[in-house]
Amino acid sequence: DYQTNAYIRYKSTGWTSWRPRTNHTGQAPTVITVKSSGGNFTTIPAALKYVHDKFDDNPNLRWLIKIDPGTYDISDEVITLINTSAINKQGLFIPPNTTVCGAGKDKTIIRFIYSGTSDSIMSNVSLFNMPYESCLMDCSLIVKNIRYCIHSALNEAAMSEKYIDEL
């Protein structure tokens, strides 16, 4: 089972303590689930798009996306989204204030294996785009023939927190 509360590393004066993330009002994050059946969503890209769309309405709300155990091959879905310009080539956007939490690195596996021949995709596309204040934890990422597993623009002025734990 995955955690009922997402605990991530909290940076104050260093990488010293663990605490649950809450939104700016002190409330627990809004939880959505990704499962093959019975969850809020059946795919990771659909869950991330939902959170991204809601982020525009309420940027202070925190989100926890729980991903059920399993192997999620999202290669075709990501390529389709890129080809239709629904996402940019930096990858699936993990919005600020969002924690994506798998069921454990041996239980939740996210795959993006590009089997095409486009030099543009191989040299520019990433699986995830984590700009700032987001977290990806308790899962394994398997990628092949793309630029990065996780794209991160480290020079963004708005960046304050970003964590990748237990990958």
Side-chain angles (χ1 to χ4, degrees):
D1 290 345
Y2 46 69
Q3 303 168 220
T4 55
N5 295 311
Y7 285 85
I8 64 171
R9 208 173 289 256
Y10 173 75
K11 185 175 182 183
S12 53
T13 58
W15 299 92
T16 58
S17 62
W18 290 85
R19 78 174 203 187
R21 291 294 298 264
T22 59
N23 68 20
H24 297 296
T25 63
Q27 298 171 340
T30 300
V31 179
I32 60 175
T33 57
V34 176
K35 296 181 180 184
S36 57
S37 65
N40 300 102
F41 298 94
T42 57
T43 69
I44 296 165
L48 287 170
K49 181 182 183 322
Y50 176 82
V51 171
H52 184 262
D53 291 346
K54 295 294 184 183
F55 177 78
D56 292 337
D57 296 333
N58 189 349
N60 292 325
L61 191 62
R62 292 206 183 266
W63 293 89
L64 170 59
I65 301 174
K66 290 184 176 181
I67 305 174
D68 218 36
T71 298
Y72 297 83
D73 189 333
I74 59 175
S75 309
D76 293 339
E77 192 170 1
V78 172
I79 293 298
T80 298
L81 290 170
I82 289 169
N83 288 337
T84 60
S85 298
I87 63 171
N88 68 35
K89 292 182 177 180
Q90 292 176 337
L92 293 171
F93 182 68
I94 299 178
N97 305 325
T98 302
T99 297
V100 178
C101 182
K105 63 183 179 182
D106 297 329
K107 296 178 182 176
T108 302
I109 300 164
I110 303 169
R111 294 172 33 109
F112 181 4
I113 308 297
Y114 179 64
S115 59
T117 59
S118 169
D119 287 337
S120 176
I121 288 178
M122 288 189 279
S123 61
N124 294 305
V125 172
S126 300
L127 173 55
F128 289 112
N129 179 11
M130 292 179 66
Y132 54 91
E133 292 189 355
S134 54
C135 177
L136 177 63
M137 61 189 291
D138 294 336
C139 61
S140 293
L141 306 178
I142 300 172
V143 301
K144 185 175 180 183
N145 297 330
I146 62 173
R147 184 173 184 182
Y148 301 125
C149 189
I150 299 170
H151 176 86
S152 177
L154 294 176
N155 61 349
E156 289 190 30
M159 182 189 302
S160 61
E161 298 175 12
K162 176 181 22 213
Y163 303 99
I164 304 168
D165 291 323
E166 294 294 324
L167 293 181

